[in-house]
């Protein structure tokens, strides 16, 4: 039985343990009294805060139960926020504004009399357009009102495939749909003006195939600006998820096994040298965008995560070293499953990591970034996308996501404009700061009968997907059989068919249309030809300047790759003097190219 099969058994065994604890609490009087005492003590210690209107609210909302069996069901089956199995949240407090004591409110009215430290915002700001300096300008625009700078970067097509901007046939794609990054100098321009070593800054890079090379360039850029001592301080994540690429996207540049090897090399280096960096974001978002059902998205993401954990452990990296450095990325759409999808995923991950991989508490945490669904955005009457995204944001925060990105309403047409991307960011600010839905009380919207029903159904469906993957021989074997890919394609077909036959209503598209089929006038974001030529000219100048050093660095890199040693230290050296395309090309000479799955 593979690790994934063991995860299924461990979740089922844990569910039985919960039921046993419920029964024990109802039959063992001492155990029941102890649970009740613990429950009452927990409730008594919950701080009370007040809303701006003066209403007192508990800092943590717990169900009003005093029956030992139901208390056992909650404590063991769900856990308090920040406690195993983490159904209600990875951390004890999330999104809450600083405590305002009742006494302070009563004495000073609406004034606390002291400056209150603000927590870090969970909002992550996403951008990528034209050249590095253009994206840098957009980053500074987006962060003008942010206390903490959590930036996520989209790359253009050539960069995603490890190609240089001067490669044959890519000129027209330079800077389209993301930022063009060819060299360490581009990376310096991209984050110019941001303190990369600050605890209030983090960078997320949405790229997988060339992720180790882009990661090496980011480290090289940080060292150029802040010196070598900045490396342990760097905070952020690079996506680097090879499994989801071959399952859903095909942005893979090396065969699967070398790709996984280079990924593991990067994980081995970063987990040892960069304690604040997440070297992989195990991504369901793109699986969802490719057409999967919500359950498929969660099941494939979790199973991929367990496969990575098995792979890193086989390399000899301690689970309590790499486990806390794993992060996850899911989308949030409008289907009912999203009411509890992330909550259930957090619970399954915690049980599997603890009981199968013997991981400690920090490695059990399912640290989640959520993005509202791009697939749900519709060109027809596109302003309705504001409402769709707002609804998805509420669902995301109901699920206690650790960070979140909200899509822009104009994305069906173009790279978001400043107006619509500002509105998307403000959507989160309104929800988290202006409204009182999440900032006063943890668990404000959790635990309804409907949510519990969805949790049970979603967990059962995810475990069934695990069983099928296990039957096929595990994640890698299922990938080779094209199982995940075929299931995603079938789900995507059903989704589109449901739109066409009306069983899936899309307001403004197949229901309540106003009859106006004219496309709105939306200014398209395009990279001017002069900017594309500037990128090519810069790249050629860089290559000419570093030609001799680049040849030596590439020869060393190829030698290391050929011997099977960890390539990441050699990548760090190459990133200083080589372009992305030069590194990709030399490694492909050693390990070959990826052949896309059709």
């Amino acid at each position: 039985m593979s690790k994934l099969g063991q995860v299924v058994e461990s979740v089922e065994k844990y569910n039985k343990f919960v039921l046993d604890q419920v029964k024990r609490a109802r039959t063992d009087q001492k155990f029941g009294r102890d649970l009740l005492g613990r429950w009452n003590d927990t409730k008594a210690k919950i701080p009370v805060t007040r809303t701006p209107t003066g209403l007192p609210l508990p800092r943590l909302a717990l169900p009003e139960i005093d029956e030992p069996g139901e208390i056992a069901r909650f404590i063991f089956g769900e856990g308090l926020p920040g406690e195993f199995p983490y159904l209600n949240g990875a951390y004890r407090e999330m999104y809450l504004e600083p405590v305002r004591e009742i006494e302070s409110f009563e004495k000073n009215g609406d004034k606390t009399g002291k400056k209150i430290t603000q927590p870090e915002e969970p909002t992550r700001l996403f951008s990528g357009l034209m050249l590095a300096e253009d994206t840098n300008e957009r980053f500074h625009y987006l962060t003008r009102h942010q206390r903490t700078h959590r930036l996520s970067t989209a790359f253009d097509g050539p960069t995603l495939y490890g190609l240089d901007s001067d490669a044959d046939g890519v000129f027209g794609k330079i800077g389209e749909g993301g930022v063009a990054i060819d060299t360490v100098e581009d990376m310096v321009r991209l984050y110019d003006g941001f303190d990369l070593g600050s605890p209030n800054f983090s960078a997320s890079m949405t790229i997988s195939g060339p992720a180790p090379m882009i990661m090496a360039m980011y480290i090289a850029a940080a060292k150029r600006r802040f010196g070598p001592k900045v490396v342990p301080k760097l905070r952020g994540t690079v996506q680097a998820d090879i499994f989801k690429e071959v399952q859903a996207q095909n942005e893979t540049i090396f065969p699967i096994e070398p790709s996984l090897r280079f990924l593991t090399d990067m994980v081995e280096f970063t987990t040892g040298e960069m304690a604040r960096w997440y070297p992989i974001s195990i991504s369901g978002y793109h699986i969802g965008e490719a057409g999967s059902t919500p359950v498929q998205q969660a099941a494939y993401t979790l199973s991929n995560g367990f496969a990575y954990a098995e792979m890193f452990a086989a390399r000899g990296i301690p689970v309590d070293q790499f486990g806390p450095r794993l992060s996850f990325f899911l989308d949030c759409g409008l289907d009912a499953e999203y009411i509890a999808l992330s909550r259930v995923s957090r619970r399954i991950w915690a049980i599997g990591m603890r009981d199968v991989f013997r991981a400690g508490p920090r490695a059990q945490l399912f640290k989640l970034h959520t993005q509202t669904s791009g697939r749900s955005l519709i060109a027809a009457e596109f302003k309705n996308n504001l409402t769709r995204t707002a609804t998805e944001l509420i669902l995301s925060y109901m699920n206690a996501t650790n960070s979140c990105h909200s899509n822009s309403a104009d994305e069906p047409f173009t790279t978001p404009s400043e107006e619509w991307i500002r509105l998307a960011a403000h959507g989160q600010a309104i929800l988290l700061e202006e409204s009182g839905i999440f900032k006063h009380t943890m668990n404000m919207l959790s635990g309804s009968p409907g949510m519990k029903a969805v949790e049970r159904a979603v967990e059962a469906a995810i475990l069934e997907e695990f069983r099928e993957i296990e039957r096929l021989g595990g994640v890698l074997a299922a990938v080779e059989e094209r199982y995940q890919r075929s299931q995603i394609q079938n789900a995507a077909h059903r989704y589109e068919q449901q739109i066409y036959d009306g069983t899936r209503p899309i307001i403004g598209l197949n229901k309540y249309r106003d009859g106006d089929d004219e496309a709105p006038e939306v200014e398209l974001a395009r990279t001017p030809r002069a900017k594309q030529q500037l990128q090519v000219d810069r790249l050629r100048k860089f290559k000419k300047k570093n030609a001799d050093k680049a040849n030596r660095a590439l020869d060393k890199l190829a030698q290391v790759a050929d011997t099977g040693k960890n390539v990441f230290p050699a990548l760090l050296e190459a990133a200083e003097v080589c372009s992305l395309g030069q590194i990709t090309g030399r490694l492909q000479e050693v390990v070959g190219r990826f052949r896309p799955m059709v």
Side-chain angles (χ1 to χ4, degrees):
M1 180 183 296
S2 74
K3 293 290 187 182
L4 189 60
Q6 294 175 42
V7 169
V8 174
E9 286 194 350
S10 69
V11 173
E12 293 175 336
K13 184 177 179 180
Y14 189 80
N15 289 340
K16 183 178 183 303
F17 164 78
V18 172
L19 294 177
D20 289 342
Q21 296 304 102
V22 172
K23 183 182 295 185
R24 181 185 173 195
R26 290 171 174 166
T27 57
D28 183 333
Q29 292 187 356
K30 183 180 184 306
F31 182 63
R33 285 195 304 271
D34 289 344
L35 277 179
L36 184 59
R38 174 185 168 187
W39 183 255
N40 289 335
D41 185 58
T42 298
K43 293 177 69 174
K45 291 179 179 178
I46 295 173
V48 175
T49 186
R50 283 188 184 270
T51 68
T53 60
L55 185 71
L57 288 175
R59 191 82 166 170
L60 168 64
L62 294 176
E64 289 297 321
I65 52 178
D66 56 11
E67 194 275 316
E70 289 307 307
I71 293 172
R73 195 187 308 276
F74 184 92
I75 290 175
F76 297 107
E78 299 186 27
L80 297 170
E83 294 186 8
F84 189 88
Y86 306 105
L87 185 78
N88 289 307
Y91 297 104
R92 188 173 65 86
E93 289 192 352
M94 298 170 66
Y95 323 140
L96 298 182
E97 66 178 1
V99 174
R100 289 173 171 80
E101 299 291 348
I102 287 181
E103 291 78 7
S104 297
F105 188 98
E106 291 174 343
K107 290 177 182 177
N108 304 314
D110 60 352
K111 298 179 181 179
T112 62
K114 62 181 179 180
K115 187 176 181 179
I116 299 174
T117 302
Q118 296 292 319
E120 182 180 56
E121 305 102 320
T123 303
R124 187 172 284 281
L125 302 166
F126 189 48
S127 187
L129 69 163
M130 294 190 280
L131 306 191
E133 57 267 33
D134 300 301
T135 299
N136 177 267
E137 182 180 354
R138 176 64 64 86
F139 280 154
H140 282 284
Y141 171 78
L142 291 171
T143 57
R144 284 187 307 181
H145 304 297
Q146 297 292 117
R147 296 186 301 276
T148 50
H149 297 162
R150 310 180 77 175
L151 304 180
S152 188
T153 306
F155 298 90
D156 69 357
T159 306
L160 290 172
Y161 284 96
L163 298 172
D164 278 344
S165 293
D166 63 352
D168 291 341
V170 306
F171 186 87
K173 295 295 184 180
I174 297 172
E176 292 288 307
V179 61
I181 299 294
D182 292 305
T183 69
V184 62
E185 293 177 355
D186 291 329
M187 195 68 79
V188 170
R189 296 184 191 99
L190 181 61
Y191 297 107
D192 184 45
F194 293 102
D195 185 356
L196 305 189
S198 167
N200 294 321
F201 178 87
S202 70
S204 172
M205 292 174 280
T206 306
I207 193 165
S208 291
M213 291 86 89
I214 288 292
M215 182 69 208
M217 285 185 181
Y218 182 77
I219 294 172
K223 288 164 66 176
R224 286 195 179 194
R225 290 186 56 204
F226 301 101
K229 291 184 179 179
V230 76
V231 176
K233 300 177 182 178
L234 296 178
R235 180 184 179 210
T237 185
V238 61
Q239 194 166 94
D241 185 354
I242 299 302
F243 281 136
K244 68 92 177 174
E245 290 294 341
V246 295
Q247 292 168 3
Q249 279 199 298
N250 273 342
E251 290 172 2
T252 309
I253 58 179
F254 307 114
I256 296 175
E257 289 189 7
S259 294
L260 294 173
R261 171 198 161 189
F262 296 154
L263 164 62
T264 307
D265 289 346
M266 180 178 67
V267 171
E268 187 174 33
F269 176 88
T270 54
T271 53
E273 304 293 332
M274 302 171 65
R276 306 177 73 223
W277 192 266
Y278 293 87
I280 182 171
S281 175
I282 303 158
S283 303
Y285 181 84
H286 307 90
I287 293 172
E289 291 296 287
S292 76
T293 68
V295 162
Q296 288 170 345
Q297 178 190 171
Y300 301 159
T301 304
L302 286 164
S303 58
N304 291 347
F306 288 124
Y308 285 127
E310 188 171 4
M311 187 170 65
F312 301 152
R315 173 66 69 91
I317 311 172
V319 65
D320 286 326
Q321 183 175 318
F322 73 74
R325 298 293 92 202
L326 302 180
S327 62
F328 293 84
F329 178 21
L330 296 176
D331 83 343
C332 186
L334 296 172
D335 290 294
E337 291 94 324
Y338 289 108
I339 293 171
L341 195 75
S342 300
R343 289 164 59 84
V344 172
S345 298
R346 194 161 46 239
R347 184 178 188 270
I348 291 174
W349 181 255
I351 295 170
M353 288 299 285
R354 189 192 72 169
D355 295 349
V356 176
F357 290 89
R358 302 293 180 255
R362 291 181 62 242
Q364 297 166 13
L365 299 182
F366 184 86
K367 298 173 184 176
L368 176 65
H369 174 70
T370 304
Q371 183 173 341
T372 59
S373 173
R375 184 169 58 150
S376 72
L377 302 181
I378 303 300
E381 298 184 39
F382 78 102
K383 292 180 181 179
N384 285 327
N385 292 334
L386 290 170
T387 303
R388 293 185 178 99
T389 297
T391 305
E392 291 161 358
L393 285 174
I394 292 175
L395 292 171
S396 299
Y397 286 112
M398 282 172 60
N399 278 262
T401 189
N402 298 95
S403 65
C404 192
H405 164 68
S406 41
N407 289 325
S408 300
D410 61 342
E411 287 188 43
F413 307 102
T414 183
T415 297
S417 65
E418 287 191 353
E419 176 187 6
W420 292 103
I421 203 169
R422 185 178 69 252
L423 291 173
H426 283 179
Q428 293 198 59
I430 290 168
L431 182 64
L432 295 172
E433 300 178 42
E434 184 176 334
S435 87
I437 298 175
F438 297 105
K439 70 179 182 178
H440 303 305
T441 301
M442 281 285 288
N443 273 14
M444 182 74 87
L445 300 177
S446 302
S448 70
M451 177 179 279
K452 304 312 294 180
V454 173
E455 285 172 6
R456 292 190 293 270
V458 164
E459 181 180 287
I462 289 174
L463 294 184
E464 189 57 36
E465 279 287 348
F466 282 4
R467 292 187 188 95
E468 182 60 21
I469 294 171
E470 168 73 3
R471 187 188 67 80
L472 293 170
V475 170
L476 188 55
V479 165
E480 292 171 348
E481 291 287 329
R482 298 184 72 257
Y483 170 71
Q484 296 96 331
R485 195 171 189 83
S486 64
Q487 294 300 105
I488 293 168
Q489 291 170 340
N490 290 339
H493 176 74
R494 286 195 302 273
Y495 183 93
E496 293 300 322
Q497 187 61 46
Q498 288 168 351
I499 293 175
Y500 287 121
D501 66 22
T503 58
R504 180 180 288 271
I506 306 293
I507 306 305
L509 179 64
N510 64 3
K511 195 169 187 178
Y512 307 139
R513 291 186 67 164
D514 66 2
D516 184 3
D517 292 329
E518 290 188 13
E521 292 186 8
V522 177
E523 185 177 354
L524 301 182
R526 301 302 303 269
T527 305
R529 185 178 180 84
K531 283 184 178 289
Q532 293 173 327
Q533 188 60 53
L534 174 60
Q535 183 69 11
V536 171
D537 292 342
R538 284 173 173 171
L539 172 61
R540 289 174 175 168
K541 182 179 178 181
F542 177 90
K543 287 181 176 179
K544 183 177 180 180
K545 178 179 66 176
N546 295 292
D548 292 339
K549 293 179 180 178
N551 285 331
R552 290 193 295 271
L554 291 170
D555 287 343
K556 181 178 178 180
L557 176 63
Q559 182 182 14
V560 174
D562 199 37
T563 60
K565 296 179 181 178
N566 189 316
V567 302
F568 199 74
L571 273 179
L572 288 174
E573 295 180 24
E576 296 279 0
V577 294
C578 302
S579 70
L580 176 62
Q582 286 176 321
I583 297 172
T584 299
R586 182 57 67 90
L587 287 175
Q588 286 176 332
E589 290 176 6
V590 178
V591 302
R593 298 172 181 267
F594 176 68
R595 297 181 63 185
M597 300 174 69
V598 179

